[in-house]
Amino acid sequence: MKVLVGIKRVVDHNVRVRAKADGSGADIASAKMSINPFDEHAVEEAVRLKEAGVATEVVVVTAGAANAQDVLRHALALGADRAILVETTDHLNSLASAKVLREIAKREAPQLILIGKQAIDDDAAEVGQMLAALLNVGQATFASTIKIANGKAEVTREIDGGQETVELTLPAVITADLRLNDPRYIKLPNMMMAKKKPLETIAIADLQLNTVSKVATINVAEPPARAVGKMLNSVEELIEVLQAQVKVN
Ligand SMILES: Cc1cc2nc3c(=O)[nH]c(=O)nc-3n(C[C@H](O)[C@H](O)[C@H](O)COP(=O)(O)OP(=O)(O)OC[C@H]3O[C@@H](n4cnc5c(N)ncnc54)[C@H](O)[C@@H]3O)c2cc1C
């Protein structure tokens, strides 16, 4: 069984991002970039499926600029077998990203597509759902456990009231939640080995897709600053403040 994993290069989760002065977007020109954390869980799960003898090959794909090779190498160091870079400097919205993944899925014909439940830069949580719809295959989002057997996937997913378990016929799209696994620590020999693994580059123009967004960002701004808090010394003082200032009776 071949597993295709979609990964995105995003601002590292430890970086505090600021809005650009002209409001045209987030200022990330010199920010540290990393693999989207949820995608790291997706890669880890695919590699575990291979180690368990369930998957035979793990292929990772990203759409982005040439420097997105770094997150592909990271995924190869985690244990993926080969990588594909769909090269573009354009900003791709969720639908455009889903279309790119659909084209690669058509070429690779994987039995399972794993991606993160959302990317931490736009928090859209849309690509998996769109991809499943474009491919007309089943989907399970926010997966916290995945079991594969007899051409089916049993997925436990996080929902508002707790957890639900669904069964999908493969091929299918599953999006990874943080509780799915603990991604392994990458050791130096694995990083060195990852440099020798195959990394194919495809120009996005070769996929002949319409990736023009119908959604435009009008303005990006910092949230309003919070008013300074006040330290109180006792419950009595708190009640006094609530009654006098907040008008709670
Ligand atoms: C583990 C977990 C963590 C979460 N963390 C956050 C968080 O940090 N921040 C956050 O903002 N949210 C969070 N959420 C999401 C939030 O709790 C709700 O799940 C979400 O707001 C509701 O969207 P939905 O897609 O689940 O609901 P849906 O069922 O898709 O409903 C969304 C809307 O669709 C419409 N709709 C649905 N069904 C019908 C119908 N039959 N007829 C007509 N209209 C319909 C309604 O307008 C409804 O309000 C989290 C959810 C989970 C499971």
Side-chain angles (χ1 to χ4, degrees):
M1 181 181 82
K2 188 192 284 188
V3 185
L4 181 68
V5 189
I7 62 176
K8 187 176 184 185
R9 187 176 195 259
V10 296
V11 174
D12 188 87
H13 66 97
N14 289 312
V15 173
R16 193 178 149 77
V17 177
R18 301 220 158 265
K20 284 183 190 168
D22 64 0
S24 62
D27 187 2
I28 58 164
S30 56
K32 179 178 186 291
M33 305 294 280
S34 296
I35 183 172
N36 180 45
F38 295 101
D39 303 349
E40 201 173 26
H41 291 270
V43 176
E44 174 67 35
E45 193 67 13
V47 172
R48 287 186 189 195
L49 287 170
K50 191 176 169 200
E51 288 168 344
V54 178
T56 48
E57 189 182 25
V58 177
V59 183
V60 287
V61 53
T62 193
N67 56 9
Q69 287 193 17
D70 57 1
V71 292
L72 290 172
R73 294 282 174 211
H74 179 95
L76 292 169
L78 278 170
D81 298 296
R82 61 187 171 90
I84 301 169
L85 169 65
V86 178
E87 197 169 343
T88 176
T89 49
D90 292 345
H91 170 76
L92 300 181
N93 68 10
S94 302
L95 184 57
S97 302
K99 285 181 184 172
V100 168
L101 292 175
R102 175 194 60 190
E103 292 309 304
I104 301 303
K106 278 202 247 166
R107 286 176 179 219
E108 295 287 337
Q111 281 296 96
L112 176 62
I113 303 175
L114 279 169
I115 67 168
K117 72 165 181 175
Q118 65 197 82
I120 61 165
D121 51 359
D122 60 17
D123 263 347
E126 293 168 338
V127 174
Q129 294 89 323
M130 288 175 170
L131 176 60
L134 290 173
L135 289 169
N136 197 24
V137 298
Q139 59 171 290
T141 51
F142 314 143
S144 54
T145 61
I146 301 172
K147 289 181 203 151
I148 309 279
N150 306 321
K152 291 188 188 296
E154 190 187 285
V155 179
T156 307
R157 54 189 301 272
E158 314 252 336
I159 56 171
D160 273 356
Q163 293 185 329
E164 90 176 340
T165 304
V166 293
E167 187 181 82
L168 306 167
T169 302
L170 300 180
V173 175
I174 301 177
T175 75
D177 211 329
L178 290 180
R179 272 166 287 273
L180 185 56
N181 52 48
D182 289 318
R184 67 199 63 194
Y185 176 75
I186 297 175
K187 295 182 185 142
L188 189 60
N190 297 71
M191 281 168 78
M192 302 311 285
M193 265 192 319
K195 288 185 184 166
K196 293 185 186 149
K197 290 186 179 177
L199 193 159
E200 180 191 2
T201 299
I202 300 171
I204 198 166
D206 292 349
L207 300 180
Q208 298 186 323
L209 295 171
N210 177 3
T211 55
V212 178
S213 181
K214 291 183 179 165
V215 179
T217 300
I218 297 170
N219 187 41
V220 174
E222 305 279 340
R226 277 193 182 185
V228 180
K230 189 176 173 188
M231 292 297 288
L232 303 175
N233 297 313
S234 66
V235 174
E236 289 73 26
E237 204 181 330
L238 172 64
I239 292 169
E240 234 171 69
V241 169
L242 289 174
Q243 286 176 338
Q245 293 176 21
V246 191
K247 308 288 180 208
V248 175
N249 294 309

